[in-house]
Amino acid sequence: MIVLFVILIILILALLAILLYHNQAYPEAVAIANEMERTGRDYYFHGDSHIGFIIFSGAKTDEKAYAYVAKLLHDKGYTVVIPKQLFHLSMFGTKHGQEIMVSNPEIRKWILIGHSLGGMPVSRIASAQPENLYGIAFLATYASVDLSALEIGAIRLTADHDGIMNNDFMMRYDCNLPHDAANIMLRGANHQGFAAYHSTSGRDGEASLSWQEQNEQTVQLILDYFFPQHTESVTYE
């Protein structure tokens, strides 16, 4: 009986360790996140336009790691929301993302951004075809459900040094993307460079870009794609 009790305690502690573990955001990103407004458990930058972005983090990654991306978008006048999910599991954030879209009626057009496993809630929300969905940006991820019939803008950005999400694997799901989706690979980039966090996996490739540079290129490419009339076009080799 005692042995079974000890085994149960060990299993519970192991489960708690797994649930509580997450990739820590860099201090620079945390400092930016601390400037964002907290609405419930979510992080907000309120902009002046009627266009908003929702950024879904990768699995087990601190949501604050996306604060620099949020700031770059907000600097252009957009509202940006980073949903916070229990145990940093944004893959389960579909319903919450839909609630954010409904609870901010002043935003007439939403663009969803999903990094890594954050592509799952982005795909599921898009599949429900909300009226105010304007577009989708997939960062080192893929459309997990068939969105090929949707008449919305979509862009998928990948990294040539990505050691986490296999590019060949992602390409198998290209048929799920909206039919006019853009596919762009960032040179010198890696998986975690789409955010700003420490990763202990040791599997990601070595990037020649800093995470700041990769974040900046990512935002510029997204804005160039969705709002070319309002941005200066930039080409990355």
Side-chain angles (χ1 to χ4, degrees):
M1 187 69 178
I2 295 177
V3 173
L4 290 176
F5 179 74
V6 170
I7 292 174
L8 179 60
I9 292 299
I10 291 173
L11 290 174
I12 291 173
L13 291 175
L15 178 60
L16 284 174
I18 292 171
L19 290 175
L20 294 175
Y21 164 80
H22 64 277
N23 297 312
Q24 300 281 345
Y26 290 146
E28 299 94 326
V30 173
I32 296 171
N34 289 338
E35 299 173 2
M36 301 179 75
E37 181 181 325
R38 295 297 297 273
T39 301
R41 60 182 185 264
D42 305 322
Y43 297 88
Y44 271 78
F45 271 134
H46 289 283
D48 299 324
S49 78
H50 296 293
I51 298 172
F53 291 81
I54 305 177
I55 304 174
F56 291 89
S57 60
K60 304 303 291 180
T61 297
D62 188 343
E63 292 81 6
K64 295 187 289 293
Y66 299 83
Y68 186 50
V69 171
K71 181 182 185 301
L72 292 170
L73 291 167
H74 178 249
D75 286 346
K76 298 296 184 180
Y78 303 111
T79 290
V80 188
V81 187
I82 308 176
K84 183 172 176 57
Q85 294 296 319
L86 185 64
F87 300 122
H88 308 285
L89 292 170
S90 69
M91 68 187 80
F92 301 119
T94 302
K95 181 179 179 181
H96 186 48
Q98 293 169 324
E99 291 170 347
I100 291 171
M101 296 172 76
V102 171
S103 62
N104 291 275
E106 73 281 4
I107 303 301
R108 298 170 189 166
K109 297 179 179 179
W110 285 103
I111 297 173
L112 308 179
I113 300 176
H115 174 224
S116 194
L117 287 180
M120 293 178 66
V122 165
S123 300
R124 291 167 179 167
I125 292 172
S127 68
Q129 301 185 46
E131 292 184 1
N132 53 356
L133 178 61
Y134 185 68
I136 317 168
F138 296 95
L139 309 182
T141 188
Y142 56 94
S144 60
V145 297
D146 187 1
L147 307 177
S148 59
L150 297 187
E151 296 292 335
I152 60 172
I155 182 172
R156 188 171 71 108
L157 302 179
T158 56
D160 64 342
H161 294 169
D162 191 333
I164 305 296
M165 190 72 78
N166 184 279
N167 283 315
D168 291 336
F169 172 81
M170 286 189 287
M171 287 177 63
R172 297 178 196 170
Y173 293 87
D174 280 359
C175 58
N176 282 351
L177 294 169
H179 66 279
D180 285 333
N183 271 294
I184 301 174
M185 178 175 285
L186 273 64
R187 302 295 176 184
N190 67 2
H191 190 84
Q192 69 188 77
F194 285 110
Y197 61 90
H198 298 280
S199 175
T200 59
S201 72
R203 294 188 294 121
D204 204 4
E206 188 72 25
S208 57
L209 294 174
S210 68
W211 64 265
Q212 293 96 331
E213 290 171 326
Q214 187 168 333
N215 281 198
E216 290 159 7
Q217 289 192 16
T218 296
V219 169
Q220 185 67 60
L221 287 166
I222 290 172
L223 295 179
D224 283 348
Y225 176 77
F226 286 108
F227 312 111
Q229 68 275 24
H230 298 305
T231 62
E232 294 181 5
S233 181
V234 177
T235 300
Y236 298 108
E237 299 297 336

